[in-house]
Amino acid sequence: MKNFILFFLACLWMAGCDYLNIGTAEGGAGGRRYPESGKDSSDVPVITILDTSVFVSALRCVNKDYDWGRDTAYGGDNFHLVLYRNWEEIMSVPAGASCGISPDPDMHHIFEGHLYTEFSDADQTIIGRDGEELFRFEGREFLKGLLTDGDDLYTLSQERTGNGFTYRKNGAVLLKVGSGRITGGFEVPSYGNGGALYRDGAHICFSYRSTDNADKGWYLVCDGKQQQIADGTASVLDVRSISSEVIIAGRASGNRKWETSCLWPGEGEWYRTGELSSRSVVVNRKDAVLFSFPEKNLVMYYNKGIGAMGISVNEDNEVRILSTLRVERKLEGAYRYFSPVCASLSHGKEIIALTPLEGEPYCLEDNRKRTFDGLNGFLTGVETVVSQTTKVL
């Protein structure tokens, strides 16, 4: 793994109810209900309850004497993938070649409270969920994005050798491109837990750059239909459809020269994080700087209404956290990181899932430690899922 293996295990914590909105059926938070036959509840006050569940994934070494920190291959069948909900273990499934589930940290993904897995052998790829196989297809590919629509699962996967990719619905091919590299992915925090696939309103979208020597253009795909949005001469760092508007984050913006950049969608707005000269910043669509950290090589997180967070890991695996919520912190000891899906900002909280090279892994909820007793292994990802219910007063 590289230095600055951009990873900050973000465990978005908040158990129970975040807040209550009291309203009426028309124009209120609860919607229309009919508690009694023939009676409209527009005059009945209701409570909207938002319940937050925090999910954390981990890899457990079954052999208690096994030193996972020294085995960089994570090979064999001596591992279980584990899923926690609100700090309690809810699932454990064997991982290894014999069961078609890879133990590699970048080969499983938490999405909507489920644990999705991918595995490739010599000539095929297997996609699973919660330990059960969903479908398989010929060819060696790795996931770049996934998204659900009711009972349907959409996947976007890149070839392990070559430059092609395939967009599928429940394993059936919707679009296959022989020469192209997908933009974004699970390793880019601004894309969220679904990776390169995302929703823009009712549409399912992703983007890619052609690797055909005669093209090299940039393309946006929405609902399986693609359109070219920039030619091969454009210097593009990120591109997204936001509120049906195509937004391109170019290397040059006004008098600024971006070294890295990601687009973050907001409510009727969008934002941009990245590196400018010797600092890391957040800007809005008007190019006004909202937050700035005097350091480069940060993995940036942003949430409107909360602020920004940046995490750095140096060559000695030391971690520093810069945040607009609290003072800069340097953690004691050394840590191993596997993916940026292990850190996030949510509901006023900053959560970071950490795996020390010595000692047991834990999640840092603001400045409070959440531990995982008896886990001989490491944390690999986090997700916060907010569900909404209503109750008549």
Side-chain angles (χ1 to χ4, degrees), residues 179-340:
S179 299
R181 304 299 293 178
I182 297 166
T183 306
F186 299 105
E187 72 282 3
V188 184
S190 59
Y191 279 81
N193 285 62
L197 276 177
Y198 61 92
R199 294 186 186 279
D200 183 25
H203 305 291
I204 298 177
C205 306
F206 68 92
S207 59
Y208 74 94
R209 185 182 187 183
S210 172
T211 55
D212 189 322
N213 289 330
D215 185 351
K216 301 290 189 182
W218 296 86
Y219 291 82
L220 176 69
V221 180
C222 287
D223 300 329
K225 299 178 181 179
Q226 55 183 330
Q227 60 171 320
Q228 184 171 353
I229 56 176
D231 62 29
T233 64
S235 182
V236 176
L237 297 174
D238 196 12
V239 57
R240 293 185 68 137
S241 176
I242 301 176
S243 300
S244 299
E245 181 182 2
V246 178
I247 309 298
I248 298 176
R251 190 169 297 277
S253 176
N255 295 325
R256 297 183 173 131
K257 299 294 182 182
W258 293 83
E259 297 182 34
T260 64
S261 187
C262 298
L263 292 167
W264 296 74
E267 298 177 359
E269 179 62 284
W270 56 265
Y271 305 88
R272 186 173 180 179
T273 62
E275 294 180 2
L276 288 174
S277 184
S278 59
R279 58 183 179 144
S280 298
V281 300
V282 180
V283 305
N284 62 16
R285 67 182 302 159
K286 295 181 180 180
D287 231 17
V289 176
L290 304 180
F291 302 103
S292 178
F293 298 124
E295 185 174 331
K296 295 171 61 175
N297 297 319
L298 296 177
V299 175
M300 294 286 290
Y301 296 85
Y302 177 69
N303 190 305
K304 181 182 179 181
I306 297 177
M309 176 174 67
I311 300 177
S312 69
V313 186
N314 65 18
E315 294 182 354
D316 296 322
N317 295 313
E318 296 173 324
V319 176
R320 287 201 315 118
I321 306 168
L322 294 84
S323 171
T324 58
L325 295 180
R326 52 190 47 82
V327 298
E328 175 185 329
R329 288 162 291 168
K330 180 179 178 181
L331 304 183
E332 295 184 2
Y335 297 81
R336 180 160 290 176
Y337 296 91
F338 302 95
S339 167

